[in-house]
Amino acid sequence: MEDFVLEKAIQDVYPDDFAWCFGCGRLNKDGHQLRTGWQGDKTVTFFTPESKYMGIPGFIYGGLIASIIDCHGSGSAALALHRKNGNEIGDGSVPPRFVTASLNVEFLKPTPQQVTLKAVGTVEEIHPKRWKVDTEVYAHNTLCARGIVVLVAMPSTFQKK
Amino acid sequence: MEDFVLEKAIQDVYPDDFAWCFGCGRLNKDGHQLRTGWQGDKTVTFFTPESKYMGIPGFIYGGLIASIIDCHGSGSAALALHRKNGNEIGDGSVPPRFVTASLNVEFLKPTPQQVTLKAVGTVEEIHPKRWKVDTEVYAHNTLCARGIVVLVAMPSTFQKK
């Protein structure tokens, strides 16, 4: 039986000012509140989409798959850089935040509704400020989509004055 | 002054069974109800995101940009194949529907909130059942994101039994 619970997620400890993302901000009550944590040396995000997020009835719409892969990528890069910096979730340190430079999604199979989706990420540093996350999205044990996200450490110009 | 009104959109005439997409289904009352039409030989989609769709306060979250590019691509391919088949919106013919094979988004600049976004697409047939849409997303006159979507004519297996 698959365990769909993540005890610790990087989004739990984002600074409040950066916790409003519709995809993964814990303070955005209308959003998906995606949570991303470690599972061994992989990163994982679980999400059960509401029925309104359909493409064709019975299947999830592509934009949501893209959103999961994007925010999962951002969280995964933050997890990895945080660990590289010698920190872990819950040690009181403030994690880094990333923004997406590019997002590539291959839709392999129709993604069914009413299933908890699991995104599994492999994180790679391609430059100290530029990271790549390869993600696979599963419904049960079926690989439905694959994504590659390139992310950059957030520049201060993104911060609202 | 830019004209943000589309008189005719391909999504207006999708068959009811295929008009439920969260991104572009006219029957999905919770969704974005994106509408895509011709503007000369380009395809266009206008959208003003609600404030909840933020990434960082002040800016749109990446997943929404990806969703716009995805559904705009699907609508653009349908427009182009419909026209190739000798039909136009409103002539009583049923337009084709496409599904996304791959989606590639480059995020070029932070996309501001409280602005009507304009997606502009260039459609190319790469095979009778496989089309490519290059899309640029503008906020005012600033190019914020660029996308390439490859779409395939919808197979009957996608239809819910």
Side-chain angles (χ1 to χ4, degrees):
Chain A
M1 184 70 186
E2 183 109 43
D3 180 6
F4 287 138
V5 177
L6 270 179
E7 195 189 337
K8 295 177 179 181
I10 193 74
Q11 292 89 351
D12 301 343
V13 294
Y14 280 163
D16 283 358
D17 286 353
F18 301 109
W20 293 95
C21 175
F22 187 84
C24 63
R26 68 178 180 279
L27 300 178
N28 192 325
K29 299 303 179 198
D30 297 313
H32 302 320
Q33 301 190 320
L34 296 172
R35 298 174 70 248
T36 307
W38 289 110
Q39 198 170 77
D41 63 348
K42 303 290 186 187
T43 57
V44 296
T45 300
F46 301 109
F47 187 59
T48 311
E50 291 170 69
S51 59
K52 64 184 176 184
Y53 294 115
M54 77 184 89
I56 309 299
F59 300 104
I60 300 299
Y61 94 112
L64 183 61
I65 307 293
S67 299
I68 292 171
I69 289 173
D70 187 8
C71 285
H72 169 77
S74 179
S76 296
L79 280 166
L81 178 54
H82 204 41
R83 178 166 282 182
K84 184 192 171 199
N85 290 340
N87 299 121
E88 293 293 337
I89 301 167
D91 66 3
S93 55
V94 176
R97 274 290 255 138
F98 280 80
V99 292
T100 307
S102 68
L103 166 68
N104 195 310
V105 180
E106 279 181 276
F107 297 95
L108 304 172
K109 285 182 188 292
T111 305
Q113 290 196 285
Q114 298 175 323
V115 173
T116 297
L117 305 177
K118 179 181 184 178
V120 181
T122 306
V123 191
E124 182 188 343
E125 179 178 352
I126 52 182
H127 175 279
K129 293 191 172 181
R130 198 170 180 86
W131 295 63
K132 182 167 82 79
V133 181
D134 285 273
T135 295
E136 295 180 330
V137 179
Y138 293 89
H140 298 303
N141 291 316
T142 301
L143 178 61
C144 295
R146 181 178 287 135
I148 298 174
V149 188
V150 175
L151 307 111
V152 294
M154 185 181 285
S156 60
T157 51
F158 270 62
Q159 297 177 32
K160 201 179 181 184
K161 296 295 182 299
Chain B
M1 184 69 186
E2 184 109 45
D3 181 7
F4 287 139
V5 177
L6 271 179
E7 195 189 337
K8 295 177 178 182
I10 192 74
Q11 292 88 353
D12 300 345
V13 293
Y14 280 163
D16 284 358
D17 286 352
F18 301 109
W20 293 96
C21 175
F22 187 84
C24 63
R26 67 178 179 280
L27 300 178
N28 192 326
K29 298 305 179 199
D30 297 313
H32 303 320
Q33 301 190 322
L34 296 172
R35 297 175 71 247
T36 307
W38 288 111
Q39 198 170 78
D41 63 348
K42 303 291 185 186
T43 58
V44 296
T45 300
F46 300 109
F47 187 59
T48 311
E50 291 169 71
S51 59
K52 64 184 176 183
Y53 294 115
M54 76 184 89
I56 309 298
F59 300 104
I60 300 300
Y61 94 111
L64 183 62
I65 307 293
S67 299
I68 293 171
I69 289 173
D70 187 9
C71 285
H72 169 77
S74 179
S76 297
L79 280 166
L81 178 54
H82 204 42
R83 178 166 283 182
K84 184 192 170 198
N85 289 341
N87 299 122
E88 292 293 337
I89 301 167
D91 65 3
S93 56
V94 176
R97 274 289 255 138
F98 280 80
V99 294
T100 307
S102 68
L103 166 67
N104 196 310
V105 180
E106 280 182 275
F107 297 95
L108 303 172
K109 286 182 189 291
T111 304
Q113 292 195 284
Q114 297 176 324
V115 173
T116 297
L117 305 177
K118 180 181 185 179
V120 181
T122 306
V123 191
E124 183 188 343
E125 179 179 352
I126 52 181
H127 175 278
K129 293 192 173 181
R130 196 170 181 86
W131 295 63
K132 182 165 82 80
V133 182
D134 285 273
T135 295
E136 296 181 328
V137 179
Y138 293 89
H140 298 302
N141 292 316
T142 300
L143 178 61
C144 295
R146 181 178 286 134
I148 298 174
V149 188
V150 175
L151 307 111
V152 294
M154 187 181 283
S156 60
T157 51
F158 270 63
Q159 299 175 32
K160 201 178 180 183
K161 297 293 183 298

